[in-house]
Amino acid sequence: MALAHTILALLLKRPGSGYDITKSFDEELSCYWKATQQQVYRELNKLTKQGWVNFETVPQAGKPDKKLYHITETGKQELTRWYTEPTEPTPIREDLLVKVLIGYKMPQPMLIEELKHRQKIHSELLAEYRAIEAKHMAGNQDVEMQFMYLTLKRGIAYETSWLTWCEEVIAMLPHLTEKPDKDLPSLP
Amino acid sequence: MALAHTILALLLKRPGSGYDITKSFDEELSCYWKATQQQVYRELNKLTKQGWVNFETVPQAGKPDKKLYHITETGKQELTRWYTEPTEPTPIREDLLVKVLIGYKMPQPMLIEELKHRQKIHSELLAEYRAIEAKHMAGNQDVEMQFMYLTLKRGIAYETSWLTWCEEVIAMLPHLTEKPDKDLPSLP
DNA sequence: TTGACATACTCAACATGTTGAGTATACTTT
DNA sequence: AAAGTATACTCAACATGTTGAGTATGTCAA
């Protein structure tokens, strides 16, 4: 039910349309939560049925009408209840590590390619977060921004730890005994 | 389809029963992949239908019969195909960061409690991984172990980065402007 | 004027993951 | 002798996430 609560949290900050919420997921929340438009709209329907949010239809000049969603009193109660529940670390599912695990059965250059690919992705994300940090987080900000910064710091730490690991593994790989599995079919 | 390929990867290392595979997920893979028994058995059925694995029924003295699964030639082909595909970072979904994001609307001691709770979890996991590192990874190991160590290093890096972040945030929180939302219903 | 982009929302099918109950056997501990 | 633990597997319902198509309107630039 965590998606529901994430949407409630966004609506607690300020009312918004499904479109606005989707944008928030793409922008401010992207480093720790991703949700597609479809998920957001489906969830908003459910939340409306449960009475945790409601909406007013807002006609707009030059744009389609929008449904502006608000969190309700019941919704705030639910969010507060959720807030007191201890959270557990999210289960991770990393294919890359599965590839590393059987790396000794596969041609090593393939694994190194893959690691470099990931290294690139993580360094790009890191650069992006650092740019946001420099642009929006410098100097005195309001409380809302200060708390957003804490979440951004998590994104930075996450990408940094990936990058370091990639570098280390790429450096270590050539020194491990190579023993590709002769059983495996060769690539087309 | 990544669960399927993870199971194929385990069966490439050695044949095993559904039970064995579930145990592997709990033990060696736990720091980057979790799967329940139900998922494993369901997936093994699918893999069998697809011809990527097959099994022999092995009667055992003093234990129930088991189905010993093997990866097939087709399965190896599929695993190799998958191995060449670039992986993307797994989308993350972290409720804790959602809580931090709206932390300025909530009573601060509540958030600090939560952060300390997570700090404890991550330090326990870290200690666990370090123990495995000390016990099994020291000295000369075979290639298989060397590659497993690389994945363990990822687990260690991950938990370390969480721990550092928790500490930093706990230290920073008291210095941020506190402004709990008076609108929110008080807790029961 | 055509096409890309931003706003705004809906539907359907499918894949994947979670939760909980249920069926066995056998060994070990209390 | 009963309870707990480990081995070994199955079924069902539901929640959640993914993929892809479809419907609109209006702005801006090539």
Side-chain angles (χ1 to χ4, degrees):
Chain A
M1 299 284 269
L3 175 58
H5 292 92
T6 306
I7 292 177
L8 287 179
L10 287 172
L11 292 177
L12 179 68
K13 291 181 80 176
R14 63 189 58 82
S17 66
Y19 190 82
D20 295 332
I21 292 168
T22 306
K23 264 210 314 186
S24 293
F25 276 108
D26 277 354
E27 289 159 16
E28 8 161 16
L29 279 81
S30 73
C31 74
Y32 54 93
W33 206 293
K34 299 212 194 335
T36 61
Q37 225 179 23
Q38 288 70 13
Q39 276 179 282
V40 169
Y41 284 114
R42 183 170 53 178
E43 207 61 38
L44 281 170
N45 286 336
K46 275 197 220 168
L47 289 172
T48 307
K49 272 178 205 153
Q50 276 176 297
W52 292 350
V53 305
N54 55 31
F55 64 88
E56 24 160 359
T57 307
V58 179
Q60 296 183 113
K63 281 181 205 172
D65 291 0
K66 68 174 169 184
K67 292 182 182 174
L68 193 67
Y69 285 88
H70 297 261
I71 186 167
T72 61
E73 265 316 304
T74 327
K76 284 183 189 174
Q77 267 167 35
E78 174 54 27
L79 189 62
T80 310
R81 190 201 58 70
W82 169 79
Y83 206 87
T84 59
E85 274 185 350
T87 61
E88 301 301 314
T90 316
I92 316 156
R93 260 167 272 269
E94 277 294 348
D95 340 23
L96 179 56
L97 291 173
V98 177
K99 290 190 180 179
V100 171
L101 186 71
I102 54 167
Y104 64 102
K105 296 256 190 187
M106 299 287 181
Q108 210 177 81
M110 219 148 110
L111 185 55
I112 292 185
E113 265 315 290
E114 181 62 24
L115 285 162
K116 284 190 177 161
H117 170 238
R118 282 296 289 269
Q119 196 179 21
K120 194 171 160 242
I121 293 178
H122 292 298
S123 72
E124 279 164 6
L125 284 171
L126 183 59
E128 205 181 288
Y129 298 159
R130 290 249 190 247
I132 300 176
E133 189 184 27
K135 212 176 288 177
H136 300 293
M137 304 301 169
N140 281 348
Q141 293 289 340
D142 60 16
V143 226
E144 192 185 326
M145 271 298 183
Q146 286 173 24
F147 277 81
M148 228 182 91
Y149 180 51
L150 297 178
T151 66
L152 183 64
K153 269 176 78 73
R154 179 65 211 133
I156 291 172
Y158 182 72
E159 300 306 332
T160 307
S161 96
W162 264 108
L163 259 185
T164 314
W165 179 84
C166 284
E167 278 157 26
E168 279 175 19
V169 172
I170 292 170
M172 281 170 80
L173 271 180
H175 304 110
L176 304 185
T177 323
E178 198 173 359
K179 199 176 86 183
D181 200 279
K182 298 304 178 211
D183 263 16
L184 282 174
S186 54
L187 293 173
Chain B
M1 297 287 268
L3 175 59
H5 293 90
T6 307
I7 292 176
L8 287 179
L10 287 172
L11 292 177
L12 179 68
K13 290 181 80 176
R14 65 189 57 81
S17 66
Y19 191 83
D20 295 332
I21 292 168
T22 306
K23 264 210 314 188
S24 292
F25 276 108
D26 278 353
E27 289 158 16
E28 11 161 16
L29 280 81
S30 74
C31 74
Y32 54 92
W33 207 294
K34 299 210 192 340
T36 60
Q37 223 180 24
Q38 289 70 14
Q39 275 178 281
V40 170
Y41 284 114
R42 182 169 55 179
E43 208 61 39
L44 281 171
N45 286 336
K46 275 197 219 166
L47 288 172
T48 307
K49 271 177 206 154
Q50 275 176 297
W52 293 350
V53 303
N54 56 30
F55 62 88
E56 26 160 358
T57 306
V58 179
Q60 296 184 112
K63 280 183 208 173
D65 290 1
K66 69 174 169 184
K67 292 180 182 175
L68 194 66
Y69 286 88
H70 297 261
I71 187 166
T72 62
E73 263 317 302
T74 328
K76 282 184 191 175
Q77 266 166 36
E78 173 54 29
L79 189 62
T80 310
R81 191 203 56 71
W82 170 79
Y83 206 86
T84 59
E85 274 185 351
T87 61
E88 300 303 312
T90 317
I92 317 156
R93 261 168 272 270
E94 276 294 349
D95 341 20
L96 179 56
L97 290 173
V98 177
K99 289 190 179 180
V100 171
L101 186 70
I102 54 167
Y104 65 101
K105 297 256 190 189
M106 298 289 184
Q108 210 177 81
M110 221 148 109
L111 185 55
I112 293 183
E113 265 315 291
E114 181 62 25
L115 287 162
K116 286 190 176 161
H117 170 238
R118 282 296 286 270
Q119 196 180 20
K120 194 173 161 239
I121 293 178
H122 292 297
S123 71
E124 279 164 7
L125 284 171
L126 183 59
E128 204 180 290
Y129 299 159
R130 290 249 190 248
I132 299 175
E133 189 183 26
K135 211 176 287 178
H136 300 292
M137 304 299 169
N140 280 348
Q141 294 289 339
D142 60 16
V143 225
E144 190 186 327
M145 270 299 184
Q146 285 173 24
F147 277 81
M148 227 182 93
Y149 179 51
L150 297 178
T151 67
L152 183 65
K153 269 177 78 73
R154 180 64 211 134
I156 290 172
Y158 182 72
E159 299 307 332
T160 306
S161 98
W162 263 109
L163 258 185
T164 314
W165 178 84
C166 283
E167 278 158 26
E168 279 175 20
V169 173
I170 291 170
M172 282 170 80
L173 271 180
H175 304 110
L176 303 186
T177 323
E178 198 173 358
K179 198 176 87 185
D181 199 276
K182 297 306 180 211
D183 264 16
L184 282 173
S186 54
L187 294 171

